[in-house]
Amino acid sequence: MSSTSLTPPAPEAVASRPAAARVARAHGGRTGRAGAPGASRVARLIAFVLGTVWLVIVLLPIYYMALASFRTQGQYLTGNPWLPVGGLSLSSYSTVFSATGLGTDFRNSAVLTLASIVIVVLFSLGAAYRIVRRGSRFAAVSFRVILFGLAVPVQAIIIPIFIIVVKMHLYDTLIAVILAASASLIAVAVLLMVNYVRAIPRELFDAMTVDGAGEWTLFTRLVWPMARPVLAVVSIFAGLGAWNNFLIPLILTQSNSNSVLPVGLYEVASTSQYGIDVPVVMAAVMLSVLPLVLLYFGLRRQFVQGLGGLAIR
Amino acid sequence: MATVSTVLNRERAPVPVPKPGSPRRRVLLLADIVGLSPTLLLYGLFIVVPVVFAVFLSFTSWNVIGTLRWVGFANWSRFFSDPGAHHALLVTLELVVFSWLVETPLAMALGLFIAGTQRYRSVYAAIYLLPLLLSTAGIALMWEGVLSPEFGGLAWFSFHLKLSFLNQNWLGSPSLTLYVLVVIIAWQFVPFHALIYQAGRRTIPNELYEAARIDGATLAQTFRYVTLPQLRYTVVTSSMLIVVGSLTYFDIIFILTQGGPGDTTRVLSLYMYDTGFLQTEFGYASVLAVVLAVLGIAVALLLIRATGFGKMDSGREGIS
């Protein structure tokens, strides 16, 4: 988010100043007490109502899932799916851990996510530093090549990726998923980093260069410390992308020991045993999102920027 | 993406370029190579080479086990006479158009809403983003539960509140399921685009709203003559992401319908998956993949051209 984004007043807030009352009168609008024009009060009320409607739309399916996850299959089939009456139970959660084999998927997803974060953050920061420095034509050309990748959807190149992974004897390994997932995330990461590193004042680079600092010192003493806030943002962007990736592990792995969560969830839900046991599937989904929700409420600002990904200017 | 990279390449003045052949120049080049090659290697192996490889494969016949045969344009002429591909293309375009129509107004309204300063709005905004934390697999399974015909959440309403129109075979109806998918995808992505619009709204200079107020503009006029024109780049960015995203959309459709019932929701990416990984016809599947990529890039370029996005001056360096 750019520096101009610091708490600007909403359009309604602008319109509610005293002069706006005169305006509203001139247009035949009713004016309320203390200069708050009726029109903008109505607008704010409408905004509140519509905003609340969307809030309900967002929460309803999540609430449904949460409630279903705290039931046994019997309670789910006979009880009211929208109200916590008729008995709740934790048995679905224990089934997820004991019987579905998703524990391995959790571990694999954690490894995939951490490894992808490390690769994406380190690689993209190094690349962004050189792109912003623009010491040679090589950097400029590289940037163009990386930007080109923003336009390429992973779906369109998944067949060649599959073949390359098979030929490298990496099929059905977590390493293949880590590398492919990192590659699919790195263009956006470089862009985020470039925008941030670019904002480091030229004078700082110049001052350190005059003091005899080389390119490596500039990186470790200036770029790395200055870039800390954006490291969190890129970590979250990459972590979410890796944790929730579906297509890449679906294509590149097959054995249960290398399965990651999204694919594991899908497979558990497709088995004849648990496909009909909705509470177990819901409990598994709840568990898969729990770490992210906890992190989200702890690091909201970084999450918003990380989620924004491309939206950040 | 020449236009995009021109926009992006308008940077501040670079470091003073040393004379060719000087030691300083060699140091800079070496540093560039060290800094960039990890990214370029990863990127080259998993993005650039696959792009070239996909185009190459589209002229061959191969099922991984047998030998690779050059077949010229055979796969391409098959594409032009394959009703399955044409149908998939049509379904994809429907998905794109409906997604855009549903998501854009919703995202804009919500984005402006959460750009407001009232305290409760930032609390709402925090909750709005929850769908972005769920994996697409999780979202698909969650909605499968809600929409399940006999024991699902909507079915319960239809039985107990006598709202019989809610008792539909939501995910197995030839006339309905595509729209259900559009709604689910909107549920997932509207928050993301609202975030884009929120950021866009916050970059509009306050002076413009002051001026509109002094000129006596109503809220509707302010929106029409200040907010909307100022958001044009945001609209382009968001639209581009919606269009390219729904062109290639795969996960939720794959999990919820596998393209069914019949082939009513079999989008191009799903058709490609079936052709490539179920029938192991990698040559023909690559044609579909190339079509997918070309469509995505073409739409992006078209949007950039049509809106003059590429002529932006450097004062507003934009991403994508």
Side-chain angles (χ1 to χ4, degrees), chain B residues 12-13 79 83 97 137-138 172 197-198 218 280 306:
Chain B
R12 299 170 305 121
F79 171 75
V97 170
Y197 280 106
Q198 180 197 31
T218 62
T280 58

Side-chain angles (χ1 to χ4, degrees), chain B residues 94-95 98 147 154 164-184 257 260-261 264-265:
Chain B
E94 279 184 84
L95 187 76
F98 289 124
L147 299 174
L154 285 186
S164 55
F165 68 95
L166 286 175
N167 188 25
Q168 305 276 353
N169 190 1
W170 298 106
L171 296 171
S173 150
S175 56
L176 208 61
T177 302
L178 186 66
Y179 305 107
V180 174
L181 290 175
V182 168
V183 170
I184 297 175
T257 72
T264 47
T265 61

Side-chain angles (χ1 to χ4, degrees), chain B residues 14 25 107 133 140 157 162-163 171 174-175 191 209-210 223-224 261-262 273:
Chain B
R25 179 144 177 157
L133 302 180
F157 281 124
K162 302 283 176 279
L163 300 168
L171 296 171
S175 56
Y209 288 99
E210 291 284 322
F223 174 76
R224 169 70 185 80
Y273 175 87

Side-chain angles (χ1 to χ4, degrees), chain B residues 42 93 151 175 193 201 224 240 247 256 258 268 309 316 320:
Chain B
L42 188 68
L93 293 182
F151 302 104
S175 56
H193 293 279
R201 166 62 184 86
R224 169 70 185 80
M240 202 153 79
L247 260 178
L256 285 182
Q258 306 264 342
L268 206 53
F309 193 58
R316 254 181 149 270
S320 72

Side-chain angles (χ1 to χ4, degrees), chain A residues 84 87 96 184 221 225 227 276 283 285:
Chain A
V96 171
S184 74
R221 295 278 169 79
I276 48 159
V285 176

Side-chain angles (χ1 to χ4, degrees), chain B residues 222-237:
Chain B
T222 310
F223 174 76
R224 169 70 185 80
Y225 295 106
V226 178
T227 311
L228 205 53
Q230 287 291 317
L231 282 178
R232 63 191 182 280
Y233 297 129
T234 313
V235 174
V236 174
T237 306

